[in-house]
Coordinates of all heavy atoms in Angstrom, one line a residue:
P123 N 4.0 5.6 16.1 CA 4.5 4.7 15.1 C 3.4 3.9 14.5 O 3.5 3.5 13.2 CB 5.5 3.9 15.9 CG 5.9 4.8 17.0 CD 4.7 5.6 17.4
N124 N 2.3 3.5 15.1 CA 1.4 2.6 14.6 C 0.1 3.3 14.1 O -0.8 2.6 13.5 CB 0.9 1.5 15.6 CG 0.1 2.2 16.8 OD1 0.2 3.4 17.1 ND2 -0.8 1.4 17.4
T125 N 0.1 4.6 14.1 CA -1.1 5.3 13.8 C -1.6 5.0 12.3 O -2.7 4.6 12.0 CB -1.0 6.8 13.9 OG1 -0.6 7.1 15.3 CG2 -2.3 7.6 13.5
I126 N -0.7 5.2 11.3 CA -1.1 5.1 10.0 C -1.3 3.6 9.6 O -2.1 3.3 8.8 CB 0.0 5.8 9.0 CG1 0.0 7.3 9.3 CG2 -0.3 5.5 7.6 CD1 1.0 8.1 8.5
E127 N -0.4 2.8 10.2 CA -0.5 1.4 9.9 C -1.9 0.8 10.3 O -2.5 0.1 9.4 CB 0.5 0.6 10.7 CG 0.5 -0.9 10.6 CD 1.5 -1.6 11.6 OE1 1.7 -1.0 12.7 OE2 2.0 -2.6 11.2
V128 N -2.4 1.2 11.4 CA -3.7 0.7 11.9 C -4.8 1.3 11.0 O -5.8 0.6 10.6 CB -3.9 1.0 13.3 CG1 -5.4 0.7 13.8 CG2 -3.0 0.3 14.2
L129 N -4.7 2.6 10.7 CA -5.7 3.2 9.9 C -5.8 2.6 8.5 O -6.9 2.4 8.0 CB -5.5 4.7 9.7 CG -5.6 5.6 11.1 CD1 -5.2 7.1 10.8 CD2 -7.0 5.5 11.6
V130 N -4.7 2.4 7.9 CA -4.7 1.7 6.6 C -5.3 0.3 6.6 O -6.0 0.0 5.7 CB -3.2 1.7 6.0 CG1 -3.1 0.8 4.8 CG2 -2.8 3.1 5.6
S131 N -4.9 -0.4 7.6 CA -5.5 -1.8 7.7 C -7.0 -1.7 7.9 O -7.7 -2.5 7.2 CB -4.8 -2.5 9.0 OG -5.4 -3.7 9.2
L132 N -7.5 -0.9 8.7 CA -8.9 -0.8 9.0 C -9.6 -0.3 7.7 O -10.7 -0.7 7.4 CB -9.2 0.2 10.1 CG -8.8 -0.4 11.5 CD1 -9.0 0.6 12.6 CD2 -9.6 -1.6 11.8
S133 N -9.1 0.7 7.0 CA -9.7 1.3 5.8 C -9.7 0.2 4.7 O -10.7 0.1 4.0 CB -8.9 2.4 5.3 OG -9.5 3.0 4.2
S134 N -8.7 -0.7 4.6 CA -8.7 -1.7 3.6 C -9.7 -2.8 3.9 O -10.2 -3.4 2.9 CB -7.3 -2.4 3.6 OG -6.3 -1.4 3.3
K135 N -10.1 -2.9 5.1 CA -11.1 -3.9 5.5 C -12.5 -3.3 5.5 O -13.5 -4.1 5.5 CB -10.8 -4.5 6.9 CG -9.5 -5.3 6.9 CD -9.2 -5.7 8.4 CE -7.8 -6.4 8.5 NZ -7.4 -6.7 9.9
N136 N -12.6 -2.0 5.5 CA -13.9 -1.3 5.6 C -13.9 -0.2 4.5 O -13.8 0.9 4.8 CB -14.1 -0.7 7.0 CG -14.0 -1.7 8.1 OD1 -15.0 -2.3 8.5 ND2 -12.8 -2.0 8.7
I137 N -14.2 -0.7 3.3 CA -14.0 0.2 2.1 C -15.2 1.2 2.0 O -15.1 2.1 1.2 CB -13.9 -0.6 0.8 CG1 -15.1 -1.5 0.6 CG2 -12.6 -1.5 0.8 CD1 -15.2 -2.2 -0.7
D138 N -16.2 1.0 2.8 CA -17.3 2.0 2.8 C -16.9 3.3 3.6 O -17.6 4.3 3.5 CB -18.6 1.4 3.4 CG -18.4 0.8 4.8 OD1 -17.3 0.3 5.1 OD2 -19.3 0.8 5.6
Y139 N -15.8 3.2 4.3 CA -15.3 4.4 5.0 C -14.4 5.2 4.1 O -13.3 4.8 3.7 CB -14.6 4.0 6.3 CG -15.6 3.8 7.5 CD1 -16.0 2.5 7.6 CD2 -16.0 4.7 8.3 CE1 -16.9 2.2 8.7 CE2 -16.9 4.5 9.3 CZ -17.3 3.2 9.5 OH -18.2 3.0 10.5
G140 N -14.8 6.5 3.8 CA -14.0 7.3 3.0 C -12.9 8.0 3.8 O -11.8 8.3 3.3
I141 N -13.2 8.3 5.0 CA -12.3 9.0 6.0 C -12.2 8.2 7.3 O -13.2 7.9 7.9 CB -12.7 10.5 6.3 CG1 -12.7 11.3 5.0 CG2 -11.8 11.1 7.3 CD1 -13.3 12.7 5.3
L142 N -11.0 7.9 7.7 CA -10.8 7.4 9.1 C -9.8 8.4 9.8 O -8.8 8.9 9.2 CB -10.2 6.0 9.1 CG -11.2 4.9 8.6 CD1 -10.4 3.6 8.6 CD2 -12.4 4.9 9.5
S143 N -10.0 8.6 11.1 CA -9.2 9.5 11.9 C -8.9 8.8 13.2 O -9.8 8.1 13.7 CB -9.9 10.9 12.0 OG -9.1 11.7 12.7
P144 N -7.7 9.1 13.8 CA -7.4 8.5 15.1 C -8.1 9.4 16.2 O -8.8 10.4 15.9 CB -5.9 8.6 15.1 CG -5.6 9.8 14.2 CD -6.6 9.8 13.1
M145 N -7.8 9.1 17.4 CA -8.2 9.9 18.5 C -7.2 11.1 18.6 O -6.0 10.9 18.5 CB -8.2 9.2 19.8 CG -9.1 7.9 19.8 SD -10.8 8.4 20.3 CE -10.8 7.8 22.0
H146 N -7.8 12.3 18.7 CA -6.9 13.6 18.8 C -6.7 13.9 20.3 O -7.7 14.4 20.9 CB -7.6 14.7 18.1 CG -7.9 14.4 16.6 ND1 -8.2 15.4 15.7 CD2 -7.9 13.3 15.9 CE1 -8.4 14.9 14.5 NE2 -8.3 13.6 14.6
L147 N -5.4 13.9 20.7 CA -5.0 14.3 22.0 C -4.3 15.6 21.9 O -3.8 16.0 20.9 CB -4.1 13.3 22.7 CG -4.6 11.8 22.8 CD1 -3.6 10.9 23.3 CD2 -5.9 11.7 23.5
V148 N -4.3 16.4 23.1 CA -3.5 17.5 23.1 C -2.0 17.1 23.3 O -1.7 15.9 23.5 CB -3.9 18.5 24.3 CG1 -5.3 18.9 24.1 CG2 -3.7 17.8 25.6
A149 N -1.0 18.1 23.2 CA 0.3 17.7 23.2 C 0.8 17.0 24.4 O 1.6 16.1 24.4 CB 1.2 19.0 23.0
S150 N 0.1 17.3 25.6 CA 0.6 16.7 26.8 C -0.1 15.3 27.0 O 0.2 14.6 27.9 CB 0.1 17.6 28.0 OG -1.3 17.8 27.9
K151 N -0.9 14.9 26.0 CA -1.6 13.6 26.1 C -2.5 13.3 27.3 O -2.9 12.2 27.5 CB -0.6 12.4 26.0 CG 0.3 12.4 24.7 CD 1.1 11.2 24.6 CE 2.0 11.1 23.4 NZ 2.7 9.9 23.3
D152 N -2.9 14.4 28.0 CA -3.7 14.2 29.2 C -5.2 14.4 29.0 O -6.0 14.3 29.9 CB -3.1 15.0 30.4 CG -3.2 16.4 30.1 OD1 -3.4 16.8 29.0 OD2 -2.9 17.2 31.1
K153 N -5.5 14.8 27.8 CA -6.9 15.0 27.4 C -7.2 15.1 25.9 O -6.2 15.2 25.2 CB -7.5 16.3 28.1 CG -6.8 17.6 27.7 CD -7.4 18.7 28.5 CE -6.8 20.1 28.1 NZ -7.4 21.2 28.8
F154 N -8.4 15.1 25.5 CA -8.7 15.1 24.1 C -8.7 16.6 23.7 O -8.9 17.5 24.4 CB -10.1 14.6 23.9 CG -10.2 13.1 24.1 CD1 -11.0 12.7 25.3 CD2 -9.6 12.2 23.3 CE1 -11.1 11.3 25.5 CE2 -9.7 10.9 23.6 CZ -10.5 10.4 24.7
E155 N -8.3 16.7 22.4 CA -8.3 18.1 21.8 C -9.8 18.6 21.6 O -10.7 17.7 21.3 CB -7.6 17.9 20.4 CG -7.4 19.3 19.8 CD -8.4 19.5 18.6 OE1 -8.6 18.6 17.8 OE2 -8.9 20.6 18.5
N156 N -10.0 19.8 22.0 CA -11.4 20.3 22.1 C -12.2 20.1 20.8 O -13.4 19.7 20.8 CB -11.4 21.8 22.4 CG -11.1 22.0 24.0 OD1 -11.4 21.1 24.7 ND2 -10.6 23.1 24.3
E157 N -11.6 20.5 19.7 CA -12.3 20.4 18.4 C -12.7 18.9 18.1 O -13.8 18.7 17.5 CB -11.5 20.9 17.2 CG -11.5 22.4 17.2 CD -12.8 23.0 16.9 OE1 -13.4 22.7 15.9 OE2 -13.2 23.9 17.6
F158 N -11.9 18.0 18.5 CA -12.2 16.6 18.3 C -13.3 16.1 19.2 O -14.4 15.7 18.8 CB -11.0 15.7 18.6 CG -11.2 14.2 18.6 CD1 -11.3 13.6 17.3 CD2 -11.4 13.5 19.7 CE1 -11.6 12.2 17.3 CE2 -11.5 12.2 19.7 CZ -11.7 11.5 18.5
S159 N -13.2 16.4 20.5 CA -14.2 15.9 21.4 C -15.6 16.6 21.3 O -16.6 16.0 21.5 CB -13.8 16.1 22.9 OG -13.5 17.4 23.2
N160 N -15.6 17.9 20.9 CA -16.8 18.7 20.7 C -17.7 18.1 19.7 O -18.9 18.2 19.7 CB -16.6 20.2 20.5 CG -16.0 20.9 21.7 OD1 -16.2 20.4 22.8 ND2 -15.5 22.0 21.4
F161 N -17.1 17.5 18.6 CA -17.9 17.0 17.5 C -18.2 15.5 17.8 O -19.2 15.0 17.3 CB -17.2 17.2 16.2 CG -17.3 18.6 15.6 CD1 -16.3 19.5 15.8 CD2 -18.5 19.0 15.0 CE1 -16.5 20.8 15.3 CE2 -18.7 20.3 14.5 CZ -17.6 21.2 14.6
I162 N -17.3 14.9 18.4 CA -17.4 13.3 18.6 C -18.5 13.1 19.7 O -19.2 12.2 19.6 CB -16.1 12.7 18.9 CG1 -15.2 12.9 17.7 CG2 -16.3 11.2 19.2 CD1 -15.7 12.2 16.4
I163 N -18.4 13.9 20.8 CA -19.2 13.5 22.0 C -20.7 13.5 21.7 O -21.4 12.5 22.1 CB -18.9 14.4 23.1 CG1 -17.5 14.1 23.7 CG2 -19.9 14.4 24.2 CD1 -17.1 15.1 24.8
P164 N -21.3 14.5 21.0 CA -22.8 14.5 20.9 C -23.4 13.2 20.5 O -24.4 12.7 21.1 CB -23.1 15.6 19.9 CG -21.9 16.5 20.1 CD -20.7 15.7 20.4

Side-chain angles (χ1 to χ4, degrees):
N124 69 332
T125 300
I126 297 178
E127 177 186 30
V128 171
L129 293 177
V130 166
S131 175
L132 291 174
S133 182
S134 300
K135 296 173 184 175
N136 299 272
I137 59 174
D138 52 328
Y139 279 88
I141 297 174
L142 288 180
S143 187
M145 302 277 258
H146 300 195
L147 307 175
V148 298
S150 57
K151 296 187 178 183
D152 59 352
K153 61 181 179 179
F154 296 109
E155 188 256 315
N156 282 335
E157 284 294 307
F158 174 78
S159 59
N160 287 344
F161 281 101
I162 296 300
I163 286 174

